[in-house]
C-alpha cells in the first residue's frame, strides 16, 4: 500500500534520520536524465532502451511494424540483443558520448553535498564523483573491505561504472539478462550490503522507476 504525505509531515523525521546517518539514498536514471555530457545528454532508462531498439531495427533492416514487438520486451532483453549484434566500437562511442563528463545543475550538487553515509546509484555515469566529495567508486561483482565506507566518501555503483566500462574489455557492467542473472551470485557482497540496509536503515529513492530492477526486487 502506497501512502502519499507532504514534506512538512515528515520533515522532522527526515532531519533526525540524517543526523543519525540512518538515511541512505539510491539514485536512479531520473537523477541525471537530460544532464549535459561529453557529446550529448544522459538518457533515461526508457531513452536508452529506445536508442537500442532503433539500432537493432536498423541493423536487422526492419520497418516500424516490428517496433511494437521490441517495445514489449524488458530492458535487459533488449540490451542482450543490442550487445550481441551492434559493433562494440559503436556501443563504446554511445556510452562515452552520453555517460562521461556529466555536468549536474546546482540544486543536484547541493543534494550531493548533504553528509550522506554513502550513496547507491543504479546509474553508470560519472556525475556523482565529478560533482561531489563522493569520489570513491565501489564497483559491482567484487569483494570489498567494509572499512572503506568509514575511510572514504563512497558511491556504490550497482550496475557498473562508465570509467570501468570504456577502459576494460571485460568490465563489471550489469545490463543484459545474462549479466543480471550472474550478478545475483557474483555481486553478492554488494547485494548483501543493500539487503542489510533495507533491514536496518531508511532508504530514500530518487529518480528510480524501479522497472526491471532485479537486484532491488
Amino acid at each position: 500500500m502506497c501512502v502519499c504525505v507532504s514534506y512538512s509531515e515528515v520533515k522532522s523525521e527526515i532531519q533526525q534520520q540524517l543526523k543519525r546517518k540512518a538515511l541512505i539514498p539510491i539514485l536512479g536514471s531520473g537523477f541525471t536524465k537530460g544532464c549535459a555530457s561529453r557529446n550529448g545528454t544522459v538518457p533515461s532508462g526508457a531513452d536508452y532502451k529506445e536508442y537500442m531498439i532503433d539500432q537493432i531495427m536498423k541493423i536487422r533492416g526492419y520497418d516500424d511494424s516490428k517496433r511494437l514487438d521490441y517495445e514489449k520486451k524488458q530492458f535487459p532483453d533488449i540490451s542482450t540483443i543490442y550487445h550481441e549484434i551492434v559493433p562494440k566500437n559503436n556501443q563504446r562511442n554511445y556510452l562515452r558520448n552520453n555517460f562521461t563528463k556529466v555536468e549536474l545543475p546546482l540544486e543536484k550538487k547541493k543534494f550531493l553535498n548533504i553528509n550522506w553515509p554513502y550513496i547507491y546509484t543504479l546509474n553508470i555515469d560519472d556525475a556523482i564523483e565529478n560533482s561531489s566529495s563522493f569520489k570513491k567508486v565501489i564497483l559491482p561483482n567484487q569483494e570489498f573491505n567494509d572499512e572503506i565506507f568509514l575511510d572514504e566518501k563512497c558511491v556504490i555503483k550497482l550496475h557498473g561504472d562508465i570509467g570501468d566500462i570504456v577502459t576494460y574489455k571485460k568490465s563489471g557492467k550489469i545490463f543484459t539478462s545474462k549479466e543480471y542473472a550472474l550478478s545475483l551470485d557474483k555481486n553478492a557482497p554488494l547485494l548483501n550490503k543493500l539487503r542489510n540496509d533495507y533491514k536496518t536503515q531508511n532508504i530514500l529513492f530518487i529518480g528510480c522507476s524501479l522497472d526491471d530492477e532485479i537486484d532491488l526486487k
Side-chain angles (χ1 to χ4, degrees):
M1 179 178 172
C2 181
V3 178
C4 295
V5 297
S6 66
Y7 176 67
S8 61
E9 294 178 86
V10 295
K11 177 180 178 180
S12 177
E13 182 178 353
I14 288 176
Q15 290 174 338
Q16 289 302 314
Q17 299 300 340
L18 282 170
K19 289 178 182 178
R20 293 179 51 238
K21 294 187 179 299
L23 189 60
I24 312 294
I26 297 181
L27 306 183
S29 63
F31 188 75
T32 53
K33 175 188 175 182
C35 291
S37 58
R38 175 191 290 265
N39 192 27
T41 58
V42 181
S44 67
D47 294 335
Y48 192 11
K49 180 180 175 181
E50 285 299 311
Y51 168 79
M52 290 191 289
I53 290 173
D54 287 342
Q55 297 303 302
I56 293 167
M57 292 182 61
K58 180 179 178 181
I59 288 174
R60 290 186 167 174
Y62 292 153
D63 59 33
D64 279 345
S65 64
K66 288 281 190 179
R67 177 171 290 275
L68 185 58
D69 293 336
Y70 284 106
E71 289 180 344
K72 289 178 180 178
K73 294 180 182 293
Q74 303 296 329
F75 182 98
D77 299 322
I78 291 296
S79 183
T80 297
I81 301 169
Y82 171 83
H83 284 89
E84 286 176 351
I85 70 173
V86 173
K88 301 300 181 186
N89 191 54
N90 291 11
Q91 295 179 32
R92 284 193 298 273
N93 285 340
Y94 178 80
L95 292 171
R96 189 181 295 109
N97 286 337
N98 294 281
F99 292 94
T100 67
K101 298 185 181 297
V102 177
E103 291 288 336
L104 287 179
L106 181 59
E107 65 271 15
K108 292 182 179 180
K109 290 181 180 180
K110 287 181 177 179
F111 176 86
L112 295 177
N113 283 336
I114 295 172
N115 190 27
W116 308 106
Y118 42 85
I119 294 174
Y120 287 99
T121 182
L122 304 170
N123 303 335
I124 64 168
D125 62 62
D126 57 12
I128 296 173
E129 57 269 35
N130 284 353
S131 304
S132 72
S133 59
F134 293 91
K135 298 189 180 299
K136 187 66 176 181
V137 175
I138 307 299
L139 298 172
N141 300 335
Q142 298 192 42
E143 293 190 36
F144 52 84
N145 295 313
D146 290 326
E147 294 82 3
I148 194 66
F149 298 102
L150 300 175
D151 298 336
E152 304 275 358
K153 301 284 278 186
C154 297
V155 52
I156 302 170
K157 296 200 170 183
L158 291 170
H159 289 176
D161 169 60
I162 188 61
D164 184 55
I165 293 168
V166 300
T167 301
Y168 302 104
K169 292 185 177 180
K170 291 186 178 181
S171 69
K173 67 179 177 62
I174 303 173
F175 289 159
T176 67
S177 298
K178 182 179 179 181
E179 288 165 347
Y180 267 103
L182 289 173
S183 76
L184 297 179
D185 179 40
K186 291 177 64 178
N187 205 24
L190 276 186
L191 295 181
N192 286 336
K193 180 173 180 60
L194 181 60
R195 185 180 297 110
N196 184 66
D197 282 341
Y198 265 73
K199 293 177 180 178
T200 63
Q201 305 281 45
N202 297 281
I203 304 297
L204 180 65
F205 291 97
I206 301 290
C208 299
S209 68
L210 305 185
D211 290 342
D212 309 321
E213 297 297 349
I214 296 173
D215 36 17
L216 293 187
K217 290 177 183 177

